[in-house]
Amino acid sequence: MQYEPTLDRAALIDFATQKYFANVDAKNMEATLDCFHDEALFCVQTAFTRHAGKGEIRRMFEDFFGAYETIIHRDFTCTVDEANGRIAACFTAELHDADGNVTLLYNTNFWRLRPGADGPKFQEVYVYMSGANVLT
C-alpha cells in the first residue's frame, strides 16, 4: 500500500514524541497501544527481539511499565521523511526502578506509519538500544 502523506514534519514529530512517548511515560496503556496498527511489528534490533501484533506489544509494555516507577524519554533529535510517513528519533530514556536505581539508555527509534481508518499509526518500530534490552 502506497503511503499517502497525511502528517507534515511537525505532526510526525508530535505523534512520536507527544502522542506515543508522552503516553509511555505516563504508563497510559490504551493511549500507547492506540499508536499501533493491530498487526504492527515492534523490534529491538540490538537484542534480536520481536513483538508482532498488539497482543505481544501490550504484554511487552505491561512488563516494561511494571518494572519501573518512573519512565522519562527526553532530549529528542528527530529526522522525518514526510513523503513516506517515516520518522527517526535519537533520545535519552531515563528509567527509575522501585529500589531507586536509575538506568540511562541512549536510543534511536525508527518508525514507519501507515494510514488507518482513524488516522496514521505505527506499522513498524525498530529500536536500537545502548544497553540491556528493557523491552522484552
Side-chain angles (χ1 to χ4, degrees):
M1 173 185 290
Q2 172 99 14
Y3 180 79
E4 294 294 328
T6 56
L7 299 177
D8 63 14
R9 181 180 194 283
L12 284 163
I13 291 171
D14 185 71
F15 189 91
T17 62
Q18 297 307 308
K19 184 172 182 187
Y20 174 62
F21 275 129
N23 281 302
V24 170
D25 292 355
K27 298 184 182 183
N28 185 338
M29 180 65 76
E30 296 313 313
T32 297
L33 291 175
D34 190 50
C35 293
F36 293 88
H37 279 283
D38 290 341
E39 68 283 355
L41 180 63
F42 191 110
C43 300
V44 181
Q45 295 294 89
T46 48
F48 309 104
T49 303
R50 175 183 159 139
H51 307 284
K54 268 194 182 176
E56 289 184 22
I57 294 169
R58 174 185 291 278
R59 199 256 339 126
M60 175 197 74
F61 277 118
E62 286 171 348
D63 292 349
F64 181 56
F65 292 171
Y68 297 98
E69 295 292 311
T70 305
I71 300 168
I72 302 166
H73 292 88
R74 59 181 168 81
D75 304 331
F76 295 98
T77 301
C78 298
T79 303
V80 174
D81 176 358
E82 287 179 54
N84 294 297
R86 296 176 193 253
I87 181 170
C90 297
F91 57 92
T92 301
E94 181 179 330
L95 312 171
H96 299 253
D97 69 18
D99 296 326
N101 299 309
V102 177
T103 299
L104 287 177
L105 299 167
Y106 304 98
N107 297 352
T108 301
N109 282 16
F110 296 87
W111 296 281
R112 182 173 72 89
L113 285 83
R114 75 172 174 85
D118 53 349
K121 296 182 182 233
F122 295 138
Q123 180 61 47
E124 297 170 12
V125 178
Y126 297 95
V127 178
Y128 291 80
M129 199 172 292
S130 68
N133 183 15
V134 296
L135 301 171
T136 56

